[in-house]
Amino acid sequence: MIRKSAAATMLTAAAIAAAAAPAAAGPLDSLFGSSGSGSSDLLDTGSAALGSSGNKPQHFGKLGRPDAPNGVKSINVWVYAPKAQPISPGVYPRNSQLGVRWNSTIDSGPVIDGNECAMQIALSGPKIPAKAKLTKTADCTAVKSFSLRAPGSYAITVTDGISGASNSIKFDVQ
């Protein structure tokens, strides 16, 4: 009797956990989102789940100072391609709106969704207009896209000027 009860409890817990998972999250976002390979449209997929799972969250990129006033430990980044379909992994068509989406996380894992950051978004690649090379925002979690027309390799780095945390993504345009 006790075994059946324990098994039923475990199945119920698994069903509740599955129901609580974000419906729009891609199956690989929690594994690869922070390294720039994910493509989900959610801003905080992965990090929020890491913070609530009871496991020690993983932090990617250059870590922020432990005494930073905004508490940012790391920044997760993904390629943002709202309407473009990749030609192959990490390769997108020319003349597409492409960019970066990011979230900032604290040491325990939860996402900071506010304007207490000093983010700098640096775009590098072929034929970048001067005004697109560096963008600044106070948003700790956001997206930034660019109209990329020239083929080649691109990199986007997101850095929080308050904590010093940063992370980057790389992709190609054909």
Side-chain angles (χ1 to χ4, degrees):
M1 183 81 170
I2 293 176
R3 286 185 189 169
K4 286 183 182 179
S5 178
T9 301
M10 289 174 53
L11 285 173
T12 302
I16 291 170
L28 299 178
D29 280 359
S30 62
L31 295 174
F32 298 111
S34 298
S35 65
S37 301
S39 61
S40 170
D41 289 330
L42 297 176
L43 290 176
D44 59 355
T45 300
S47 293
L50 289 172
S52 62
S53 68
N55 296 332
K56 180 143 177 76
Q58 292 183 343
H59 295 282
F60 299 91
K62 180 183 172 209
L63 301 182
R65 294 187 339 259
D67 62 343
N70 63 2
V72 173
K73 173 75 171 194
S74 64
I75 301 170
N76 298 312
V77 296
W78 296 266
V79 169
Y80 178 67
K83 296 181 182 175
Q85 293 297 319
I87 297 169
S88 61
V91 180
Y92 295 87
R94 296 179 350 168
N95 300 320
S96 296
Q97 281 293 116
L98 299 169
V100 62
R101 71 185 168 90
W102 71 89
N103 66 29
S104 301
T105 60
I106 61 174
D107 193 34
S108 61
V111 171
I112 299 171
D113 189 18
N115 61 356
E116 50 276 338
C117 294
M119 295 299 190
Q120 296 182 357
I121 300 90
L123 172 65
S124 63
K127 297 184 182 181
I128 301 293
K131 66 180 184 176
K133 287 183 181 181
L134 184 65
T135 306
K136 297 180 180 184
T137 182
D139 295 327
C140 298
T141 296
V143 299
K144 175 65 180 161
S145 64
F146 308 92
S147 182
L148 301 179
R149 301 192 190 313
S153 295
Y154 291 84
I156 304 175
T157 301
V158 180
T159 304
D160 176 27
I162 295 172
S163 69
S166 69
N167 205 346
S168 62
I169 56 169
K170 294 179 182 180
F171 57 92
D172 293 319
V173 172
Q174 288 186 349

PDB file of all heavy atoms in Angstrom, residues 144-167:
ATOM      1  N   LYS A 144      16.911  43.486 -28.794  1.00  0.00           N
ATOM      2  CA  LYS A 144      17.384  44.539 -29.691  1.00  0.00           C
ATOM      3  C   LYS A 144      17.606  43.886 -31.043  1.00  0.00           C
ATOM      4  O   LYS A 144      18.280  42.860 -31.138  1.00  0.00           O
ATOM      5  CB  LYS A 144      18.698  45.151 -29.176  1.00  0.00           C
ATOM      6  CG  LYS A 144      19.319  46.176 -30.099  1.00  0.00           C
ATOM      7  CD  LYS A 144      18.449  47.405 -30.252  1.00  0.00           C
ATOM      8  CE  LYS A 144      19.105  48.405 -31.193  1.00  0.00           C
ATOM      9  NZ  LYS A 144      18.169  49.366 -31.710  1.00  0.00           N
ATOM     10  N   SER A 145      16.996  44.442 -32.082  1.00  0.00           N
ATOM     11  CA  SER A 145      17.175  43.864 -33.417  1.00  0.00           C
ATOM     12  C   SER A 145      17.726  44.902 -34.382  1.00  0.00           C
ATOM     13  O   SER A 145      17.618  46.112 -34.166  1.00  0.00           O
ATOM     14  CB  SER A 145      15.859  43.278 -33.937  1.00  0.00           C
ATOM     15  OG  SER A 145      14.900  44.292 -34.100  1.00  0.00           O
ATOM     16  N   PHE A 146      18.316  44.393 -35.444  1.00  0.00           N
ATOM     17  CA  PHE A 146      18.947  45.204 -36.472  1.00  0.00           C
ATOM     18  C   PHE A 146      18.525  44.650 -37.822  1.00  0.00           C
ATOM     19  O   PHE A 146      18.274  43.456 -37.959  1.00  0.00           O
ATOM     20  CB  PHE A 146      20.479  45.117 -36.371  1.00  0.00           C
ATOM     21  CG  PHE A 146      21.010  45.421 -34.994  1.00  0.00           C
ATOM     22  CD1 PHE A 146      21.206  44.406 -34.076  1.00  0.00           C
ATOM     23  CD2 PHE A 146      21.314  46.719 -34.620  1.00  0.00           C
ATOM     24  CE1 PHE A 146      21.695  44.672 -32.806  1.00  0.00           C
ATOM     25  CE2 PHE A 146      21.802  47.002 -33.356  1.00  0.00           C
ATOM     26  CZ  PHE A 146      21.997  45.981 -32.451  1.00  0.00           C
ATOM     27  N   SER A 147      18.493  45.492 -38.847  1.00  0.00           N
ATOM     28  CA  SER A 147      18.256  45.043 -40.210  1.00  0.00           C
ATOM     29  C   SER A 147      19.618  44.746 -40.821  1.00  0.00           C
ATOM     30  O   SER A 147      20.382  45.662 -41.103  1.00  0.00           O
ATOM     31  CB  SER A 147      17.515  46.124 -41.000  1.00  0.00           C
ATOM     32  OG  SER A 147      17.264  45.656 -42.302  1.00  0.00           O
ATOM     33  N   LEU A 148      19.923  43.467 -40.978  1.00  0.00           N
ATOM     34  CA  LEU A 148      21.249  43.068 -41.467  1.00  0.00           C
ATOM     35  C   LEU A 148      21.154  42.666 -42.932  1.00  0.00           C
ATOM     36  O   LEU A 148      20.503  41.691 -43.293  1.00  0.00           O
ATOM     37  CB  LEU A 148      21.800  41.926 -40.609  1.00  0.00           C
ATOM     38  CG  LEU A 148      21.943  42.277 -39.121  1.00  0.00           C
ATOM     39  CD1 LEU A 148      22.461  41.086 -38.344  1.00  0.00           C
ATOM     40  CD2 LEU A 148      22.857  43.474 -38.943  1.00  0.00           C
ATOM     41  N   ARG A 149      21.817  43.438 -43.774  1.00  0.00           N
ATOM     42  CA  ARG A 149      21.750  43.239 -45.218  1.00  0.00           C
ATOM     43  C   ARG A 149      23.000  42.592 -45.796  1.00  0.00           C
ATOM     44  O   ARG A 149      22.934  41.927 -46.810  1.00  0.00           O
ATOM     45  CB  ARG A 149      21.513  44.576 -45.895  1.00  0.00           C
ATOM     46  CG  ARG A 149      20.231  45.262 -45.432  1.00  0.00           C
ATOM     47  CD  ARG A 149      19.864  46.433 -46.296  1.00  0.00           C
ATOM     48  NE  ARG A 149      18.814  47.306 -45.844  1.00  0.00           N
ATOM     49  CZ  ARG A 149      17.634  46.982 -45.377  1.00  0.00           C
ATOM     50  NH1 ARG A 149      17.321  45.741 -45.230  1.00  0.00           N
ATOM     51  NH2 ARG A 149      16.749  47.892 -45.035  1.00  0.00           N
ATOM     52  N   ALA A 150      24.146  42.807 -45.177  1.00  0.00           N
ATOM     53  CA  ALA A 150      25.414  42.310 -45.719  1.00  0.00           C
ATOM     54  C   ALA A 150      25.709  40.896 -45.219  1.00  0.00           C
ATOM     55  O   ALA A 150      25.564  40.613 -44.028  1.00  0.00           O
ATOM     56  CB  ALA A 150      26.557  43.234 -45.327  1.00  0.00           C
ATOM     57  N   PRO A 151      26.119  40.007 -46.115  1.00  0.00           N
ATOM     58  CA  PRO A 151      26.495  38.659 -45.670  1.00  0.00           C
ATOM     59  C   PRO A 151      27.807  38.705 -44.882  1.00  0.00           C
ATOM     60  O   PRO A 151      28.625  39.603 -45.064  1.00  0.00           O
ATOM     61  CB  PRO A 151      26.671  37.882 -46.976  1.00  0.00           C
ATOM     62  CG  PRO A 151      26.902  38.908 -48.025  1.00  0.00           C
ATOM     63  CD  PRO A 151      26.246  40.169 -47.564  1.00  0.00           C
ATOM     64  N   GLY A 152      27.968  37.751 -43.978  1.00  0.00           N
ATOM     65  CA  GLY A 152      29.184  37.665 -43.190  1.00  0.00           C
ATOM     66  C   GLY A 152      28.914  37.196 -41.778  1.00  0.00           C
ATOM     67  O   GLY A 152      27.796  36.808 -41.439  1.00  0.00           O
ATOM     68  N   SER A 153      29.943  37.254 -40.950  1.00  0.00           N
ATOM     69  CA  SER A 153      29.850  36.830 -39.547  1.00  0.00           C
ATOM     70  C   SER A 153      29.587  38.042 -38.659  1.00  0.00           C
ATOM     71  O   SER A 153      30.231  39.081 -38.804  1.00  0.00           O
ATOM     72  CB  SER A 153      31.141  36.147 -39.111  1.00  0.00           C
ATOM     73  OG  SER A 153      31.314  34.951 -39.832  1.00  0.00           O
ATOM     74  N   TYR A 154      28.657  37.885 -37.727  1.00  0.00           N
ATOM     75  CA  TYR A 154      28.278  38.943 -36.808  1.00  0.00           C
ATOM     76  C   TYR A 154      28.450  38.475 -35.369  1.00  0.00           C
ATOM     77  O   TYR A 154      28.334  37.282 -35.083  1.00  0.00           O
ATOM     78  CB  TYR A 154      26.810  39.351 -37.019  1.00  0.00           C
ATOM     79  CG  TYR A 154      26.576  40.059 -38.316  1.00  0.00           C
ATOM     80  CD1 TYR A 154      26.376  39.355 -39.493  1.00  0.00           C
ATOM     81  CD2 TYR A 154      26.552  41.446 -38.375  1.00  0.00           C
ATOM     82  CE1 TYR A 154      26.167  40.005 -40.695  1.00  0.00           C
ATOM     83  CE2 TYR A 154      26.337  42.111 -39.571  1.00  0.00           C
ATOM     84  CZ  TYR A 154      26.147  41.384 -40.728  1.00  0.00           C
ATOM     85  OH  TYR A 154      25.942  42.030 -41.913  1.00  0.00           O
ATOM     86  N   ALA A 155      28.680  39.425 -34.481  1.00  0.00           N
ATOM     87  CA  ALA A 155      28.733  39.156 -33.046  1.00  0.00           C
ATOM     88  C   ALA A 155      28.004  40.283 -32.333  1.00  0.00           C
ATOM     89  O   ALA A 155      28.096  41.449 -32.735  1.00  0.00           O
ATOM     90  CB  ALA A 155      30.168  39.059 -32.550  1.00  0.00           C
ATOM     91  N   ILE A 156      27.253  39.929 -31.293  1.00  0.00           N
ATOM     92  CA  ILE A 156      26.575  40.917 -30.467  1.00  0.00           C
ATOM     93  C   ILE A 156      26.947  40.619 -29.023  1.00  0.00           C
ATOM     94  O   ILE A 156      26.786  39.499 -28.549  1.00  0.00           O
ATOM     95  CB  ILE A 156      25.046  40.879 -30.643  1.00  0.00           C
ATOM     96  CG1 ILE A 156      24.664  41.069 -32.106  1.00  0.00           C
ATOM     97  CG2 ILE A 156      24.390  41.939 -29.755  1.00  0.00           C
ATOM     98  CD1 ILE A 156      23.176  40.926 -32.387  1.00  0.00           C
ATOM     99  N   THR A 157      27.454  41.638 -28.335  1.00  0.00           N
ATOM    100  CA  THR A 157      27.840  41.504 -26.935  1.00  0.00           C
ATOM    101  C   THR A 157      26.950  42.406 -26.088  1.00  0.00           C
ATOM    102  O   THR A 157      26.768  43.584 -26.409  1.00  0.00           O
ATOM    103  CB  THR A 157      29.317  41.902 -26.732  1.00  0.00           C
ATOM    104  OG1 THR A 157      30.128  41.054 -27.555  1.00  0.00           O
ATOM    105  CG2 THR A 157      29.733  41.740 -25.282  1.00  0.00           C
ATOM    106  N   VAL A 158      26.397  41.824 -25.030  1.00  0.00           N
ATOM    107  CA  VAL A 158      25.565  42.574 -24.084  1.00  0.00           C
ATOM    108  C   VAL A 158      26.342  42.667 -22.772  1.00  0.00           C
ATOM    109  O   VAL A 158      26.737  41.646 -22.209  1.00  0.00           O
ATOM    110  CB  VAL A 158      24.207  41.875 -23.857  1.00  0.00           C
ATOM    111  CG1 VAL A 158      23.355  42.657 -22.872  1.00  0.00           C
ATOM    112  CG2 VAL A 158      23.474  41.679 -25.176  1.00  0.00           C
ATOM    113  N   THR A 159      26.567  43.891 -22.295  1.00  0.00           N
ATOM    114  CA  THR A 159      27.353  44.128 -21.082  1.00  0.00           C
ATOM    115  C   THR A 159      26.582  45.037 -20.142  1.00  0.00           C
ATOM    116  O   THR A 159      26.053  46.067 -20.568  1.00  0.00           O
ATOM    117  CB  THR A 159      28.702  44.787 -21.426  1.00  0.00           C
ATOM    118  OG1 THR A 159      29.392  43.974 -22.364  1.00  0.00           O
ATOM    119  CG2 THR A 159      29.552  44.978 -20.181  1.00  0.00           C
ATOM    120  N   ASP A 160      26.527  44.654 -18.861  1.00  0.00           N
ATOM    121  CA  ASP A 160      25.927  45.505 -17.845  1.00  0.00           C
ATOM    122  C   ASP A 160      27.038  46.363 -17.238  1.00  0.00           C
ATOM    123  O   ASP A 160      27.959  45.837 -16.614  1.00  0.00           O
ATOM    124  CB  ASP A 160      25.246  44.664 -16.761  1.00  0.00           C
ATOM    125  CG  ASP A 160      24.688  45.506 -15.629  1.00  0.00           C
ATOM    126  OD1 ASP A 160      24.345  46.686 -15.869  1.00  0.00           O
ATOM    127  OD2 ASP A 160      24.609  44.999 -14.496  1.00  0.00           O
ATOM    128  N   GLY A 161      26.960  47.669 -17.407  1.00  0.00           N
ATOM    129  CA  GLY A 161      27.978  48.575 -16.900  1.00  0.00           C
ATOM    130  C   GLY A 161      28.001  48.686 -15.381  1.00  0.00           C
ATOM    131  O   GLY A 161      28.994  49.130 -14.815  1.00  0.00           O
ATOM    132  N   ILE A 162      26.956  48.262 -14.703  1.00  0.00           N
ATOM    133  CA  ILE A 162      26.908  48.343 -13.242  1.00  0.00           C
ATOM    134  C   ILE A 162      27.616  47.150 -12.607  1.00  0.00           C
ATOM    135  O   ILE A 162      28.461  47.301 -11.740  1.00  0.00           O
ATOM    136  CB  ILE A 162      25.452  48.454 -12.745  1.00  0.00           C
ATOM    137  CG1 ILE A 162      24.865  49.778 -13.233  1.00  0.00           C
ATOM    138  CG2 ILE A 162      25.379  48.337 -11.219  1.00  0.00           C
ATOM    139  CD1 ILE A 162      23.389  49.938 -12.982  1.00  0.00           C
ATOM    140  N   SER A 163      27.279  45.942 -13.050  1.00  0.00           N
ATOM    141  CA  SER A 163      27.862  44.735 -12.441  1.00  0.00           C
ATOM    142  C   SER A 163      29.115  44.255 -13.168  1.00  0.00           C
ATOM    143  O   SER A 163      29.915  43.534 -12.587  1.00  0.00           O
ATOM    144  CB  SER A 163      26.835  43.601 -12.441  1.00  0.00           C
ATOM    145  OG  SER A 163      26.593  43.162 -13.766  1.00  0.00           O
ATOM    146  N   GLY A 164      29.258  44.610 -14.438  1.00  0.00           N
ATOM    147  CA  GLY A 164      30.366  44.116 -15.240  1.00  0.00           C
ATOM    148  C   GLY A 164      30.069  42.800 -15.938  1.00  0.00           C
ATOM    149  O   GLY A 164      30.887  42.294 -16.684  1.00  0.00           O
ATOM    150  N   ALA A 165      28.887  42.207 -15.706  1.00  0.00           N
ATOM    151  CA  ALA A 165      28.517  40.951 -16.368  1.00  0.00           C
ATOM    152  C   ALA A 165      28.364  41.183 -17.860  1.00  0.00           C
ATOM    153  O   ALA A 165      27.913  42.252 -18.302  1.00  0.00           O
ATOM    154  CB  ALA A 165      27.219  40.411 -15.778  1.00  0.00           C
ATOM    155  N   SER A 166      28.748  40.181 -18.662  1.00  0.00           N
ATOM    156  CA  SER A 166      28.549  40.286 -20.106  1.00  0.00           C
ATOM    157  C   SER A 166      28.459  38.886 -20.721  1.00  0.00           C
ATOM    158  O   SER A 166      28.882  37.905 -20.133  1.00  0.00           O
ATOM    159  CB  SER A 166      29.670  41.085 -20.773  1.00  0.00           C
ATOM    160  OG  SER A 166      30.878  40.361 -20.726  1.00  0.00           O
ATOM    161  N   ASN A 167      27.902  38.848 -21.920  1.00  0.00           N
ATOM    162  CA  ASN A 167      27.803  37.621 -22.687  1.00  0.00           C
ATOM    163  C   ASN A 167      27.616  38.014 -24.142  1.00  0.00           C
ATOM    164  O   ASN A 167      27.210  39.143 -24.431  1.00  0.00           O
ATOM    165  CB  ASN A 167      26.645  36.753 -22.197  1.00  0.00           C
ATOM    166  CG  ASN A 167      26.833  35.279 -22.503  1.00  0.00           C
ATOM    167  OD1 ASN A 167      27.683  34.904 -23.294  1.00  0.00           O
ATOM    168  ND2 ASN A 167      26.031  34.449 -21.865  1.00  0.00           N
TER     169      ASN A 167
END
